[in-house]
Each structure stands twice: as structure tokens, then as C-alpha cells.
Amino acid sequence: MLKVLLKKQFTEVFKSYFYDAKKNKMRSKGAIIGWFFFFAVIMVGMLGGIFTSLSMSMCGGLTQAGMDWLYFLLQGGIALFLGVFGSVFNTYSGLYLSKDNDLLLSMPIPVRLIMIARLLNVYLMGAMYSAVVLIPALIVYWGTAGATVRNVLCGLLLLLIVTVGVLILSCLLGWVVAKISLKLKNKSYFTVILSLAFFGGYYFVYFKANELIQHLLQNAEMYGEKIKGTAYALYLFGRIGEGSLPCAALFFAVTAILFVLTWLVLSRSFLRIATASVGAGKKRYAEKRVRAKSPYRALLGKEFKRLTSSANYMLNCGLGVLLIPASGVLLLAKGRLFCDVIGQALDGRPDCAPVLICAALCMLSSMNDMAAPSVSLEGRNLWIVQSLPVDPKTALRAKASVQLILTCLPMLFAAVCGAVILPASAAVKALVCVMPLTFAAFFAVFGTVIGVRMPLLNWTNEIVPIKQSGAVMLAMFGGWAFCVVFAGLYLLVGYRFGAAAYLLVWSVLYLAAGGILLRRLDREGSRTFAQLS
Amino acid sequence: MLNIEHLTKRYGDKKAVDDLSLHIRPGEIFGFIGHNGAGKTTTLKSAVGILQFDEGSISVCGVSVKDDPLTCKRSLAYIPDNPDLYDFMSGIKYLHFVADVFGIRASERAEKIRKYADLFEMTGSLGDPISAYSHGMKQKLSVIAAWLHDPKLIVMDEPFVGLDPKASHLLKEMMREHCDKGGAIFFSTHVLEVAEKLCDKVAIIKQGKLVKVGTMEEVRGDDSLEEVFLELEAK
């Protein structure tokens, strides 16, 4: 029974390697081999290579100083962090939100077997990320310090302890998320905030890690003594890799106890969480007075609701909403320094700072590309707008307007911040405010035009149109290309005309292009939209 | 009310609907019967302006669906076979969305929502997200949304699927009442007993072609509708 469940589980995990969601058909044998090869290159070649070189840079110095345990403590910490980060997002959905909950629970399958199959899945996901760190670390250590039966055995035990530790932490985090999620009304906002916090933490650690490790290596003895004095358990943990059998036995026992406790917690709540109706936040309906809206405003409201109801949509297509005002604050704080650095670096080219600030703001505004997948996201709901007395033009303009509003408002703030800090003429300051707005307007219409020209309506998971559709790719890379061309042309020739003239020309160009595209959207776009099926 | 003349719709080389003509007059409940894949949904979707067709013409209240789709859509309502509604909205938000699009005044819509939601025992669930609705509840919500703007023509694709017996009975009464007031209903069904009891006229379609049309008595003769249908299918 467990074998059957595991087979199903892994077919599901590696579904995208066998099945093309965009084309809705199975991949060819060549494509399947290609995808697995790509996966192996990424995991073993790239990630494995990175961590092998990290291990080589750390291992020699620490083993010579007799601090092998610190080497394993650091590597174990990194493996734990990467494993938890790699699997935590899948744990909640993988454990509790599987689409086959009802199907499996209706069959004569013991609940514990369903749990075991899903836990094994979580374990392997986490182990994959941890192993990418620990296996090179162990091999490098055995190569440097010499491999004995004892340290090989303890190294393997360390791998087991860390990977089970990752499983325990992932399960507990998944369980907490499940508990919170059951009580939350606005799950999408919660997911967005949690994801941003996690990504923020990840990048903070990622950028600081090298510096921290270098600092630690340079002061290894001092930190070693401190750890031994204040966190003796960490010292013992590090000694497992050295080949200390008592330490390995101790941590193995602790991990086993923690795992049993985790199992007990999960098994007590598994059925209740897995069978809770997702999104069934019962709300007693009370009639309220409402104001009638125009069809356009009704459609606009619908588009906003569509965006804010999906964490995937917000995270992948709306990050600019946060990043644009954040860049405004950054400009206020560090803008003058940026202008000075740019002025010195590009001495021969005057007024580069205003143009580069505009380019950066445009680049950030291209991170708001919610208009591009908007038509595709209608999916099976397309019949509603098509059967209602709504001009397709109005429906498409509502889609473009969401992006326009959500980009132009923060952009105005950021552009004004840019204008404030710039040591430039009034005309340049005014154009720094105007030019990114014209780009944002153009880009909103551009996204809608390609969205309606490249629709992807037969999806089963919304992530396909949001992340993998041609329209989104084109919008994103197109946006970046526009910005690169804009900045590059100035550095090549534009500086000869001065920033004011250059920004004015681009503002007019974007306005004109936006106008032409809007006309195209109203005519051909509307016709195409009406004929979609 | 609804005139379909020589409708032809192709999917690639395959003719899904082939030279089909139907006329639905005010006051009529018109049933549309056929096996799976016969072309019923394609005809219904073409009639409401969702699908573009290759040949023929369709008019609603004398207005061509091809030339002036918006005017046609203002006078009709459509309920699809699978009520895929906006899962991200609550039931009440969806009804207000439809009412806004049809330009129904706030006081008028409140009264209608109250009336139909009470009838279908949906009032308590209107604040819940549609994602939490069962198939039957979504179907009920589609029916309420369709009746909100007093359409002249209501086009329904398998409207009774998923509805509980009480809701089915209620819908049949509403259909009769709508036609008694001068409206018209064009609907597809596989439940021949329902069609037999409810419809004034019936059309049978087979492989995209109309094989029989007329009043219930004309189509049925001395047999049951089931016998007629099975006989036509066997030919």
C-alpha cells in the first residue's frame, strides 16, 4: 500500500518533468531526459559546486586549527537553513492541501500511511537541499582529514540527523501555518507577507553569509571558546562530524524523540486540518446598502479583487507596488550619494543621474506586470464577461487600469523623491517626475495587448498563466529591454542632447506608443477578446 | 424572440452545427435535446454571443447577435452547463457585479436579491466566498444572477444538473412564470421527462443537424419523448 502511495506521490512531485501544462500534453522522451538532466546540472553541478568550493575554503584552516567541530557546526547550520527554506513552502500544501485528500480518505487506506507517504515526500525535498551542502562538506573533510570507519559512520549519521531535523522544522512550520491559515480571513495577504519576510530573511542571510563566515574563520578560536562556554550543545553537535560516537548517539536520540513528538502532534491534527474546508470562512450575510456602479467600475473592482485574492498573482506580478515606494525612500536616504558616485564615474557624460534614476524606476515599474496574465486568468470564467452586455474594450481597459493605478500612484511618490534629491534644473526635475509615469502608462497597455494576443486559457493551476505564460515572459523581458535601451542610448549618444531633451523625447515617445497601442487594444484587441474560447 | 437561421459552426474541418434553424417565440419554453457532442452547447453559446459562428444569422428580439451583440446581451441571460463563477468573490459580490453591469438600480437589485435568495434558501450563504459553494449552490447563484435584470430571453445549458429537488421544482415554476409574462426560455437538457412535462416546443439535434422540431405533441405523437429520441438516435 505504502509503495503505491509513494509512487503516486513522486509522480505528482515530478509531474512537470513528464507533463507540459502549457500544451496540456505529455512531454516527449527527449524532453523528459532533458528536464532531468537540467535538474541534475542545477543540483549537483551548480549548487553542489558552490558548496564544494565553500567547503574547500573552510575545511583546511579549521582542521589545521583543530576546530573540525566548528566546520561541521557551520556546514550543518547552512544545510539546516537551506533544507528548511527549500521545503517549508511545500510542506503546508504537500501535507494538508493535496487535491486527492477526499479520494484517499474515502479508500481503505490507513490515515497513518497517507501521512507517512506525505512525510517521506517532505523529507526527500528537504534532504535534497541539505545534502547539496552536507555531502560535499563530508567528502571534502574526508579528503582533507582522512577517512576512517568512525568518521565516515558519524558523517552519515550527521547527514541523517540534519535531514530529519529539517523534516521536523518544516513540519512544525507547516503545522503552524496550517493552524493560522484555518483562522485567517485574508489568506492571500498573509501568504504574501510571510513569503516576503522569508525571502527578505533569505537574501539578508545570503548577502551577509560570506562576510559572517569570513569573520568567523578569522576569529575562529575566540568564537570557538564562546560557543563552548555558552552553547555547549552546538559544540557537541559539531563533534559528530569529527567522528565522536557518543555525540552522534546523543543527537540521534534527541532527534528521534523530537521526531516522535512531531509525529504525535501531526497525527492528532492531521485529519481535522486536511478535511477543513479551505476558504470556507463562514460569514453571516447581513444586507447592506450598496451604491450602483458603472460597468467599468464593476469590472475594475473585479480585477482588483482577482489580484488581491491570489498570493501567487500579487507576489509574481505586483512586487513593484512595494518596491517602487521603497526605492523612493532609498532615493531620499542615499540619492545624493548615488548622484555623486554617478557624476564621478561617468565624468565625461553630463546629467547621467536623472536618466539612470528614471531607468531604474522604469525597471521597477516593469515588475508590475499584472495586466499581462489578466486575460489568461479569466480561464473558465471567460463566459461571464462574454455573455454579459459588456463592451470587450471596457473589459480590457479595466485590466490595464489595475496596473496603471497600482504603478502610477507609487511611481509618482518615487519620482518626486528622485526629483527632490537631484541637483538639476527645474525642467529636468519635472521630467524625472513625468517620464517614468509615461512609461508606466505605456507598459500597462503593452501588457494588456500582449495578454490578449497570447492568451492561455486551458490551465488547471493559476501559476501557469502567472509565471509560465509567453505573455508574462514577454512583458517582463520586454520591460527590462525598454529600460536597457533607454539608459544605454543615453550613455552612448543621448548625453550630447542633455537630460531634459532626452527625457522629453522618451516621454513623448512612450505617450505616443501608449496611445497607438491603446487604439490597437480597443480595436483588434477587443475583437480578439470577444472571439476567445 | 430568438431566431436562428441556417446556423453553421465549424471547429477546424468538423461541423459542430450544420445549417440549423430554430424560432423561439415569446411565451415559449423551448427544449433542446441531443446526445453528448451533438452541438447543443455550441448552438446555445452562439445564440448568446459567446461563440462566433461561420454561417447563418442569429437575432434576439429582432437584433442581430453579430451586428449588435451588446443590445442582444442586454435582453438575455445565460446559464452555462458548468457554473464556473468567480471563486474569488462572495456570492453577494457576484450578484452586485452582475447588477452593476446591467445597470440595475440599488433599491431594485436589493429587493430582487432578497426575493430570489430567500426562495433558493441562499440568503445565509451570500456572504461566503463562491469557492466554498457546492455545485448546486453555484447553480442557484447563476439562476439568481440570470433573473436579476428581468431578461426577455433566458438561455440555459443543462440547468437542472446539481440542483436539489426543491430547487429544481422552484426553477421550473420560475421558468413557467417567466414565459407566462411574455418572456422566452431556450434550454438544453438530457432529462427527457422534464422536457416532456415542461416544454411547449422541443428540438432534437443529432451530429449538428436538426432532426425534429415542433410542439411537444407534434414531436412525440402517441409515443413518449424518450421513445422518439431513442428511435431518432438509432437511425
Side-chain angles (χ1 to χ4, degrees):
Chain A
M1 181 75 78
L2 186 62
K3 198 176 152 190
V4 176
L5 285 175
L6 284 173
K7 195 176 166 191
K8 183 226 72 130
Q9 197 78 31
F10 290 115
T11 312
E12 203 177 321
V13 170
F14 292 102
K15 187 178 76 179
S16 58
Y17 290 70
F18 299 100
Y19 167 77
D20 188 342
K22 267 192 272 182
K23 293 179 184 163
N24 202 16
K25 62 178 189 185
M26 298 307 282
R27 293 189 194 279
S28 66
K29 269 188 182 172
I32 293 171
I33 294 168
W35 274 102
F36 273 103
F37 180 72
F38 176 70
F39 178 73
V41 167
I42 293 286
M43 291 306 285
V44 181
M46 255 180 75
L47 286 175
I50 289 170
F51 288 108
T52 304
S53 79
L54 178 74
S55 302
M56 288 166 87
S57 69
M58 284 164 67
C59 191
L62 286 173
T63 46
Q64 273 171 19
M67 302 192 78
D68 309 37
W69 65 270
L70 188 58
Y71 169 75
F72 282 109
L73 178 61
L74 286 171
Q75 296 285 16
I78 295 170
L80 207 65
F81 174 76
L82 204 70
V84 173
F85 182 81
S87 64
V88 72
F89 284 103
N90 298 320
T91 308
Y92 169 51
S93 54
L95 266 181
Y96 302 111
L97 298 184
S98 291
K99 283 183 181 168
D100 57 3
N101 271 343
D102 289 353
L103 178 71
L104 294 183
L105 291 172
S106 71
M107 290 179 174
I109 304 171
V111 175
R112 70 186 155 77
L113 282 189
I114 301 175
M115 276 182 65
I116 290 172
R118 292 189 182 170
L119 281 176
L120 261 172
N121 184 30
V122 175
Y123 174 76
L124 283 177
M125 285 290 115
M128 201 166 65
Y129 288 102
S130 307
V132 159
V133 181
L134 268 186
I135 290 177
L138 286 167
I139 292 171
V140 168
Y141 179 76
W142 293 332
T144 311
T148 61
V149 175
R150 213 171 134 122
N151 68 16
V152 169
L153 178 69
C154 285
L156 294 176
L157 275 174
L158 179 70
L159 184 65
L160 183 70
I161 289 164
V162 169
T163 50
V164 175
V166 167
L167 172 71
I168 293 168
L169 281 174
S170 297
C171 286
L172 288 179
L173 281 171
W175 179 75
V176 170
V177 171
K179 291 292 246 187
I180 295 171
S181 190
L182 283 180
K183 289 178 184 163
L184 269 182
K185 278 182 190 166
N186 294 317
K187 288 190 186 74
S188 54
Y189 288 115
F190 171 71
T191 311
V192 168
I193 292 166
L194 193 74
S195 306
L196 287 177
F198 223 86
F199 279 116
Y202 174 77
Y203 281 108
F204 179 78
V205 172
Y206 178 80
F207 286 118
K208 289 275 176 188
N210 199 30
E211 193 183 317
L212 283 173
I213 289 170
Q214 288 308 323
H215 184 71
L216 205 66
L217 292 177
Q218 281 160 13
N219 304 283
E221 278 195 30
M222 182 189 80
Y223 283 114
E225 289 308 312
K226 271 191 181 176
I227 291 168
K228 277 186 200 169
T230 54
Y232 196 70
L234 292 181
Y235 164 69
L236 295 181
F237 173 82
R239 290 209 57 206
I240 301 173
E242 280 182 5
S244 164
L245 278 172
C247 291
L250 174 71
F251 273 89
F252 184 79
V254 170
T255 311
I257 291 167
L258 286 175
F259 178 73
V260 170
L261 286 174
T262 308
W263 173 265
L264 289 175
V265 169
L266 291 184
S267 55
R268 282 184 69 164
S269 58
F270 178 76
L271 262 185
R272 200 171 49 79
I273 297 175
T275 53
S277 315
V278 179
K282 279 275 172 197
K283 195 174 156 188
R284 186 79 207 144
Y285 170 65
E287 200 178 306
K288 284 182 206 153
R289 279 190 68 179
V290 286
R291 283 171 66 183
K293 292 183 208 155
S294 67
Y296 170 74
R297 284 197 57 200
L299 287 163
L300 188 66
K302 178 214 122 190
E303 294 300 337
F304 270 111
K305 186 77 189 151
R306 179 71 184 88
L307 175 70
T308 53
S309 67
S310 163
N312 280 328
Y313 197 10
M314 284 194 278
L315 275 170
N316 287 287
C317 302
L319 265 187
V321 176
L322 292 176
L323 293 181
I324 296 169
S327 72
V329 175
L330 189 70
L331 276 172
L332 286 178
K334 303 271 181 188
R336 285 196 190 278
L337 179 68
F338 170 78
C339 292
D340 291 344
V341 172
I342 289 293
Q344 283 165 14
L346 301 165
D347 201 16
R349 293 176 176 79
D351 277 348
C352 280
V355 176
L356 292 182
I357 284 176
C358 285
L361 291 177
C362 292
M363 188 79 98
L364 287 176
S365 98
S366 66
M367 292 186 82
N368 274 358
D369 57 354
M370 56 279 280
S374 187
V375 170
S376 300
L377 281 170
E378 291 283 345
R380 282 195 292 259
N381 295 144
L382 189 65
W383 70 271
I384 300 175
V385 179
Q386 285 185 332
S387 68
L388 290 175
V390 172
D391 192 343
K393 184 171 86 175
T394 315
L396 291 175
R397 283 190 171 205
K399 290 178 185 302
S401 298
V402 173
Q403 186 171 319
L404 194 70
I405 293 165
L406 289 178
T407 313
C408 282
L409 289 177
M411 182 57 82
L412 189 61
F413 167 75
V416 168
C417 292
V420 166
I421 57 98
L422 269 172
S425 66
V428 170
K429 281 175 185 269
L431 282 161
V432 165
C433 294
V434 171
M435 191 268 155
L437 292 175
T438 61
F439 175 80
F442 158 78
F443 193 60
V445 185
F446 173 73
T448 319
V449 168
I450 52 174
V452 80
R453 279 187 71 98
M454 301 167 76
L456 189 68
L457 296 162
N458 297 323
W459 45 268
T460 48
N461 187 335
E462 66 169 13
I463 206 74
V464 175
I466 289 172
K467 272 181 107 164
Q468 299 161 10
S469 67
V472 171
M473 295 284 174
L474 193 59
M476 195 169 70
F477 291 121
W480 293 356
F482 288 131
C483 301
V484 170
V485 169
F486 166 73
L489 273 180
Y490 186 79
L491 295 176
L492 285 174
V493 286
Y495 67 92
R496 291 180 190 158
F497 309 102
Y502 191 76
L503 290 175
L504 183 66
V505 167
W506 277 91
S507 302
V508 173
L509 269 178
Y510 278 131
L511 271 184
I516 292 166
L517 279 183
L518 187 62
R519 213 175 136 86
R520 223 182 140 87
L521 186 70
D522 287 350
R523 292 180 177 186
E524 289 95 335
S526 297
R527 265 202 299 277
T528 311
F529 185 72
Q531 288 170 11
L532 289 178
S533 58
Chain B
M1 182 79 76
L2 173 66
N3 282 318
I4 301 175
E5 300 282 358
H6 306 292
L7 174 71
T8 298
K9 168 74 187 171
R10 292 185 193 89
Y11 292 110
D13 294 336
K14 190 181 176 271
K15 275 187 180 173
V17 180
D18 189 2
D19 196 28
L20 183 135
S21 296
L22 286 175
H23 306 280
I24 292 141
R25 293 182 181 81
E28 279 180 358
I29 298 182
F30 199 112
F32 200 32
I33 301 163
H35 58 88
N36 294 330
K40 300 186 296 294
T41 300
T42 301
T43 307
L44 298 184
K45 282 187 168 180
S46 301
V48 299
I50 292 179
L51 270 185
Q52 313 283 313
F53 43 91
D54 302 302
E55 287 164 37
S57 65
I58 299 175
S59 64
V60 178
C61 304
V63 181
S64 162
V65 170
K66 229 171 197 170
D67 299 339
D68 192 354
L70 290 192
T71 306
C72 291
K73 287 174 187 177
R74 274 187 203 106
S75 52
L76 64 82
Y78 171 63
I79 300 175
D81 54 344
N82 200 351
D84 286 312
L85 307 176
Y86 295 130
D87 276 351
F88 52 88
M89 286 185 181
S90 63
I92 189 68
K93 286 248 166 73
Y94 178 71
L95 293 177
H96 281 305
F97 169 74
V98 174
D100 283 332
V101 169
F102 278 101
I104 304 168
R105 280 184 291 116
S107 57
E108 193 187 334
R109 78 172 70 165
E111 195 188 310
K112 284 194 174 152
I113 290 172
R114 206 177 303 131
K115 177 184 162 189
Y116 292 120
D118 282 349
L119 272 177
F120 282 105
E121 296 171 343
M122 283 285 290
T123 309
S125 308
L126 284 181
D128 297 337
I130 292 176
S131 56
Y133 282 12
S134 66
H135 182 95
M137 287 165 85
K138 286 183 187 174
Q139 191 73 355
K140 287 178 185 177
L141 194 70
S142 294
V143 173
I144 298 171
W147 254 260
L148 269 186
H149 68 285
D150 280 335
K152 288 177 184 157
L153 171 70
I154 301 176
V155 178
M156 297 186 279
D157 199 352
E158 297 287 350
F160 301 104
V161 175
L163 288 182
D164 57 56
K166 194 176 170 187
S168 285
H169 177 72
L170 195 61
L171 178 60
K172 285 177 217 162
E173 281 186 348
M174 284 166 65
M175 287 163 74
R176 189 74 270 166
E177 194 186 335
H178 176 76
C179 291
D180 289 346
K181 283 189 204 161
I185 283 176
F186 181 36
F187 78 105
S188 72
T189 184
H190 284 127
V191 191
L192 299 180
E193 291 81 6
V194 170
E196 204 161 1
K197 283 183 188 157
L198 197 63
C199 298
D200 302 308
K201 278 190 177 173
V202 68
I204 300 175
I205 184 174
K206 185 183 175 185
Q207 287 166 352
K209 288 192 172 178
L210 197 64
V211 287
K212 201 143 196 178
V213 63
T215 62
M216 189 55 75
E217 290 72 29
E218 284 167 355
V219 170
R220 189 174 56 180
D222 291 332
D223 300 323
S224 71
L225 189 58
E226 190 178 28
E227 283 166 333
V228 175
F229 179 74
L230 292 175
E231 194 181 312
L232 288 168
E233 281 294 300
K235 277 182 186 172

